[in-house]
Amino acid sequence: MKKIGIVSLYYNSVNYGGLAQAYALNRYFTDMGYESELISYDRIKKRKSIPEKRKKITSMSLGEIVEKCYRKAAEKIGQKCYAKRLDIRKARMKEFRDAIPHSVRYTEETIQRCENDYDIFVSGSDQIWKPGVVDAGFTFDFLKEPEKKTVISYSSSVSVKELPEDYVHFMTGALKKYSAISLREATTAKQFKAAFNRDVRVTVDPVLLVDESVWTEMASQKLLDEKYVFCYMLGDNKEQRRDIKKFARSQNLTLVTLPHIKQSSRFEVRVEDFAFGDKQMFEVGMPEFLSLIKYAEVVVTDSFHAGVFSYIFRKVFYLLERPTKNPNDVMNVRIYDLLSLYGTPDRLVKVGESLLNKDSKIINFLTIEQKVSTARQYSRMYLQEALNKNGR
C-alpha cells in the first residue's frame, strides 16, 4: 500500500478551518485506500521564507504606533481575564489535532529524514504557498530523488494580487518536481499559469471534498436553547461588529460570538472582541464549532471555512469582506471565489455596506448543491489522475 505524506499548516494549529481541511484531506485519502498522514512540520524556528513586503515600524504614524502599543497592552490584560476558558479551547483543539494521523515533529533542519517514509508527497490546502509563508518544506525541496516519488499539490492557496519576483524565482525551481498542481482560488490559478507555464487546476477545499455526512456526524449536540445569530470574525474591524450587533437586534435574535484566537505563542483574543456579543463562546473545540453553525438561524462571518460549513449545514449566511491595508493581499478572493462557486453573489457584504440593507431572500440550496457536486466530482477526478500520473 502506498503511503501519502501531506504538508500543511498543521503543526500546533488551533485554527478551525486549518485543522478541518487537514482532517478532511487525510480522511479522503484513507477513504481512497491509501495510508496517509500529516507531516508535522514545525516552521516556527525557520530561518527563511519567500518574502512578502511588510510595513516597517519607521513608516508608521505616531497614532499608529500608539494604537499598536495599546493593542498589545490590552490583549495581555484580556489574555489574563480569559486564561482559563482559553486553556479549555486550546486543549480541545489539541485533542482534535492529535487525533488526525500525523508524523513525528520535523523542523527545517530535520524534515529530510521523512523522504523514505512516503511514496507520495502532497502540498495540501491552506495558505502554504503564500509569499511570506512558503518555504522549502512546503515545496518538498529536501527530496534528494524527487523523480522516484509522486509530488502533487491539492488546493494550495496563494492569495496575493501580484507574485513577487523573488517568489516567482523560487517557485519556478520548486514546481519542477510536481507532476500535478491544483490551487483553491481561480484568480491565483490564472497567475500561476501565466508565471510558470504549467497546467494548473482549480479544486475545492478538502472540507467540500469529503461527504457532508462526515461533518454532520462530527458536530456536537445543540449548545444553546435560544435562537441566535452566530458570528465568527477573523478580522478586526470595529464598524462591522457594530453593524452585526444592530442586525442581530433587528432580527430579534441573540448574538452569539466565537472570539477568534490570534495564531501566536500568547494565544490572544483580539481587543475588538472584548464584550462583543450577547453570549461569547470560548470553550469550543471542533465539534462545538460545527454545532454553533449547524443550529444557528443566521451565520455572519468573514471566515472562508465558516462560509463553507454554512452551506454544508444549509444555513442562511452572509460573508463579509475583510478590510486590508496591504494592497498586494487579496485575502477576500477566497470569499469571492466561494460565492462564485455557490452562485450566490448576494451573500457578500462589502466593506462599508450594512447588513440591514441586504436582501433576506431565501437561499436556493438545491442550486448550490448542484454546483458544489459538480466541482467536487471534478476535484476527485483530478486527485485520482494525479495520484496515478506517469504510472508512479
Side-chain angles (χ1 to χ4, degrees), residues 210-256:
V210 299
D211 291 336
E212 294 173 5
S213 60
V214 168
W215 308 112
T216 301
E217 294 169 4
M218 186 183 296
S220 69
Q221 296 297 311
K222 189 175 182 180
L223 303 177
L224 303 164
D225 292 330
E226 62 265 50
K227 293 183 178 182
Y228 61 90
V229 173
F230 175 62
C231 180
Y232 178 54
M233 297 289 287
L234 305 183
D236 58 6
N237 189 272
K238 296 178 182 178
E239 288 73 21
Q240 288 179 327
R241 283 167 170 75
R242 283 194 286 266
D243 187 60
I244 293 166
K245 289 180 182 178
K246 293 177 182 177
F247 173 77
R249 285 198 296 269
S250 74
Q251 301 295 308
N252 197 28
L253 295 171
T254 300
L255 177 58
V256 175

Side-chain angles (χ1 to χ4, degrees), residues 43 61 63 65 67 75 82 117 127 146 150 175-176 183 206-207 261 310 317 330 351 358 377 379 381 387-388 390:
R43 55 186 293 277
S61 68
I65 294 173
E67 173 71 14
E75 284 169 353
Y82 298 124
D117 293 340
Q127 297 182 70
T150 296
L175 292 177
K176 289 180 179 179
L183 301 181
V207 169
I261 302 301
S310 295
F317 67 92
V330 287
V351 174
K358 295 299 293 184
Q377 187 60 30
S379 302
M381 288 178 63
L387 293 173
N388 294 294
N390 299 327

Side-chain angles (χ1 to χ4, degrees), residues 52-286:
E52 179 181 37
K53 291 183 179 180
R54 298 182 182 276
K55 192 172 185 180
K56 296 181 180 179
I57 189 77
T58 53
S59 66
M60 297 173 67
S61 68
L62 178 60
E64 289 175 319
I65 294 173
V66 171
E67 173 71 14
K68 189 178 182 70
C69 292
Y70 161 74
R71 289 181 64 87
K72 285 188 175 182
E75 284 169 353
K76 285 182 180 180
I77 295 172
Q79 181 196 2
K80 292 180 180 179
C81 294
Y82 298 124
K84 290 183 179 180
R85 302 180 74 184
L86 291 177
D87 285 345
I88 294 174
R89 183 191 296 194
K90 197 171 186 178
R92 289 182 177 177
M93 293 305 289
K94 182 180 186 301
E95 181 181 4
F96 179 80
R97 183 177 67 242
D98 288 349
I100 302 172
H102 59 279
S103 71
V104 298
R105 172 180 171 270
Y106 292 110
T107 64
E108 182 184 13
E109 290 75 22
T110 63
I111 194 171
Q112 71 275 4
R113 297 175 188 171
C114 77
E115 178 166 5
N116 295 325
D117 293 340
Y118 309 105
D119 306 290
I120 301 168
F121 288 84
V122 180
S123 293
S125 302
D126 224 335
Q127 297 182 70
I128 61 170
W129 280 5
K130 183 176 181 177
V133 175
V134 69
D135 65 10
F138 288 135
T139 55
F140 306 120
D141 283 9
F142 58 85
L143 294 175
K144 295 180 180 178
E145 297 180 298
E147 68 280 356
K148 294 184 178 181
K149 307 290 183 178
T150 296
V151 183
I152 69 173
S153 75
Y154 181 79
S155 283
S156 300
S157 183
V158 180
S159 297
V160 291
K161 188 176 296 184
E162 297 180 3
L163 303 179
E165 185 176 342
D166 288 349
Y167 178 87
V168 172
H169 177 75
F170 171 79
M171 292 298 285
T172 297
L175 292 177
K176 289 180 179 179
K177 69 179 77 65
Y178 285 78
S179 57
I181 302 170
S182 82
L183 301 181
R184 193 173 65 186
E185 288 85 30
T187 303
T188 43
K190 292 178 181 178
Q191 294 175 328
F192 260 52
K193 289 178 182 178
F196 306 113
N197 193 29
R198 293 290 302 271
D199 178 30
V200 181
R201 307 291 183 88
V202 179
T203 47
V204 298
D205 187 271
V207 169
L208 290 171
L209 186 69
V210 299
D211 291 336
E212 294 173 5
S213 60
V214 168
W215 308 112
T216 301
E217 294 169 4
M218 186 183 296
S220 69
Q221 296 297 311
K222 189 175 182 180
L223 303 177
L224 303 164
D225 292 330
E226 62 265 50
K227 293 183 178 182
Y228 61 90
V229 173
F230 175 62
C231 180
Y232 178 54
M233 297 289 287
L234 305 183
D236 58 6
N237 189 272
K238 296 178 182 178
E239 288 73 21
Q240 288 179 327
R241 283 167 170 75
R242 283 194 286 266
D243 187 60
I244 293 166
K245 289 180 182 178
K246 293 177 182 177
F247 173 77
R249 285 198 296 269
S250 74
Q251 301 295 308
N252 197 28
L253 295 171
T254 300
L255 177 58
V256 175
T257 61
L258 175 63
H260 174 57
I261 302 301
K262 295 165 60 179
Q263 287 283 84
S264 72
S265 59
R266 294 186 296 274
F267 208 61
E268 296 171 342
V269 175
R270 294 185 184 279
V271 172
E272 290 78 12
D273 282 328
F274 293 175
F276 173 54
D278 300 314
K279 287 193 175 181
Q280 290 185 304
M281 307 297 288
F282 285 93
E283 302 92 337
V284 175
M286 187 62 71

Side-chain angles (χ1 to χ4, degrees), residues 298-318:
V298 183
V299 177
V300 179
T301 185
D302 62 359
S303 159
F304 171 86
H305 282 103
V308 171
F309 285 120
S310 295
Y311 155 70
I312 289 173
F313 293 120
R314 308 300 193 261
K315 310 309 297 184
V316 174
F317 67 92
Y318 295 97

